[in-house]
Amino acid sequence: MRIGISCYPTFGGSGVVATELAMALATGGDEVHIISYALPSRLSMLCGNLDNSDLAPGPQLYSNLHFHQVGVTHYPLFEYPPYSLALATAMVEVARHQQLDLMHVHYAVPNAVSAVLARQIMAPAPLPVVTTLHGTDITLVGNDPNYLETTRFGIVESDAVTAVSDWLLKATRETFTVDKPIEVVPNFIDPARYERFADRPGARRWASQEERTLIHISNFRPVKRVLDVIETFHRVLQQLPCRLLLVGDGPDRAKVDKRCRELGICDSITFIGNLPLVEEVLVGGDLFLLPSDAESFGLSALEALACKVPVIGAAAGGLPEVVTHGETGFLLPVGDVDGMARAALELLTDKERHREFGERARQQALERFSQDVVVEQYREIYRGVLG
Ligand code: GMT
């Protein structure tokens, strides 16, 4: 198949899923064309700025994976350049000249609407549109009154729609009152990726010998509740020598700095910043913290599980579909930082239990979210829209 994939190129989960899917499809023999305003972070990391010679090749090394940059022209009249139109134009150009069979868009806003417009421009040539809903495109952005009607239109007009969890499927039905079929296709992991990192120092390179490592990865948006990470860590630190590794960056970073200074715990926290290869931090880590208000899925939690790192998080959104409470981690009510700290200490002070949780975490991640199974689910959907 010749597949167009449109996504955000930044460190968000939707762009990561789209890129991992593109690479898996290309590896399986499909021709894939990624369309975005910049090279996705997960692709740029594979272009060889690391000391690993055994990583997957970058885009230029897959003969059947191509990247097309959306050109957004600025003009003095525009206070806001119309990205949705530039994206639709790029989709038409790529579909026409690369003879795409279909367009798979990740994150409904504005990708779904741009794809539906591209399909209309292409007519009578067919260009089926598959839309994958990722989370905040439904719960935060898509349901904003300024975007709601166009987001609903993009969903309703798509030829097939997928959501990354049962929870997101229900949230979509409630928010947009749409009754069209929506299939749940979860996020996935490539087991081999984590094996390659297993014997690397990972989280240990930032910690002293006696320190246990707690890790959080996010874009530091309010929905992630990074301050809860700090509060939880502070409570654990009072009982055990440990270090917090913060991966990512975003709007709440300054609040986090301020709170660390107030608590006097800055010396025990390492800000790693944005890092495309999260396995470099996760392997060898002791716990992963994800206290978000509502994760539609929680890809970073799945990546932690795959690296044998148990998760302490919030029992909200789709996270309970990923983390099994009492088996691969603990899920507490949103904001219950005392409970999260207790759960963290429970695991950190019981070596055998911690080891069992870690082993089970990887086993469940591989059994339930394996790349091969999920990519085949997407292929089946593609075959469906192609008739
Ligand atoms: O987490 C974010 O803010 C980024 C966002 C995105 O779309 O890039 O992530 C969402 O999609 C991921 C991939 O499907 C999910 O694993 C995340 O849970 C989801 N984030 C939220 O729902 C907050």
Side-chain angles (χ1 to χ4, degrees):
M1 283 182 263
R2 293 179 177 197
I3 302 157
I5 287 189
S6 129
C7 65
Y8 284 98
T10 46
F11 288 90
S14 57
V16 171
V17 171
T19 311
E20 295 285 348
L21 174 63
M23 292 190 287
L25 290 166
T27 304
D30 293 305
E31 184 174 310
V32 185
H33 294 263
I34 298 182
I35 303 168
S36 190
Y37 60 82
L39 188 68
S41 61
R42 276 272 160 122
L43 276 185
S44 52
M45 83 189 180
L46 299 173
C47 294
N49 58 351
L50 287 149
D51 57 343
N52 299 51
S53 51
D54 57 344
L55 290 173
Q60 70 275 46
L61 302 179
Y62 285 93
S63 59
N64 53 346
L65 176 56
H66 309 271
F67 170 65
H68 305 263
Q69 186 158 9
V70 180
V72 188
T73 307
H74 290 260
Y75 184 68
L77 189 66
F78 302 149
E79 192 169 345
Y80 308 104
Y83 179 67
S84 322
L85 298 184
L87 176 59
T89 307
M91 287 173 173
V92 170
E93 293 290 339
V94 176
R96 193 171 278 154
H97 298 294
Q98 306 295 336
Q99 285 105 41
L100 293 186
D101 293 314
L102 62 100
M103 186 66 67
H104 184 177
V105 303
H106 291 262
Y107 207 89
V109 186
N111 297 285
V113 176
S114 298
V116 169
L117 178 58
R119 183 184 65 193
Q120 211 169 336
I121 296 169
M122 288 291 290
L127 183 65
V129 173
V130 178
T131 294
T132 290
L133 310 173
H134 280 274
T136 50
D137 47 353
I138 299 303
T139 56
L140 289 180
V141 186
N143 66 357
D144 179 319
N146 292 317
Y147 298 113
L148 191 137
E149 283 305 335
T150 46
T151 306
R152 187 207 307 271
F153 175 79
I155 293 170
V156 170
E157 288 297 315
S158 295
D159 296 277
V161 180
T162 75
V164 297
S165 64
D166 287 328
W167 178 83
L168 185 61
L169 166 60
K170 286 190 196 100
T172 307
R173 294 227 181 283
E174 281 160 22
T175 309
F176 296 99
T177 53
V178 286
D179 57 7
K180 86 180 271 140
I182 298 177
E183 189 169 334
V184 173
V185 183
N187 291 176
F188 58 90
I189 40 116
D190 169 8
R193 277 261 303 281
Y194 304 91
E195 276 148 29
R196 273 197 292 268
F197 288 83
D199 53 2
R200 291 175 64 82
R204 297 303 319 161
R205 57 161 79 85
W206 286 278
S208 66
Q209 213 161 11
E210 73 277 10
E211 279 175 335
R212 312 302 298 275
T213 52
L214 285 75
I215 305 167
H216 171 76
I217 302 175
S218 80
N219 46 29
F220 287 49
R221 299 214 180 102
V223 67
K224 303 289 177 181
R225 299 182 72 95
V226 191
L227 288 179
D228 283 5
V229 172
I230 303 300
E231 296 299 335
T232 304
F233 174 71
H234 179 225
R235 284 159 177 74
V236 177
L237 183 62
Q238 285 168 334
Q239 308 292 325
L240 273 183
C242 54
R243 173 154 298 276
L244 178 62
L245 304 177
L246 291 172
V247 179
D249 212 331
D252 279 353
R253 166 70 198 264
K255 285 186 195 160
V256 168
D257 285 340
K258 181 168 174 280
R259 189 64 187 138
C260 297
R261 281 194 293 268
E262 283 166 4
L263 294 169
I265 57 173
C266 298
D267 286 350
S268 300
I269 300 180
T270 304
F271 284 94
I272 293 171
N274 281 323
L275 181 81
L277 273 183
V278 291
E279 306 89 319
E280 281 284 12
V281 179
L282 286 171
V283 294
D286 291 304
L287 286 180
F288 185 74
L289 303 179
L290 195 61
S292 313
D293 269 328
E295 285 292 333
S296 65
F297 183 92
L299 177 61
S300 57
L302 174 60
E303 292 177 315
L305 297 179
C307 293
K308 299 189 179 177
V309 182
V311 176
I312 307 290
L319 199 57
E321 296 173 45
V322 182
V323 178
T324 314
H325 179 72
E327 290 185 17
T328 62
F330 288 109
L331 299 177
L332 286 301
V334 174
D336 182 6
V337 292
D338 287 326
M340 291 185 198
R342 267 196 307 276
L345 283 162
E346 204 177 309
L347 281 182
L348 292 176
T349 53
D350 186 339
K351 210 172 165 193
E352 184 50 26
R353 195 148 181 243
H354 180 259
R355 195 195 59 78
E356 280 168 18
F357 268 57
E359 292 297 332
R360 230 178 355 243
R362 180 167 169 84
Q363 189 191 334
Q364 288 193 10
L366 300 194
E367 277 168 13
R368 294 161 53 191
F369 304 108
S370 115
Q371 174 173 289
D372 289 352
V373 174
V374 175
V375 171
E376 192 45 41
Q377 221 179 324
Y378 277 125
R379 278 213 181 90
E380 194 53 44
I381 291 168
Y382 298 161
R383 287 191 277 269
V385 297
L386 291 174

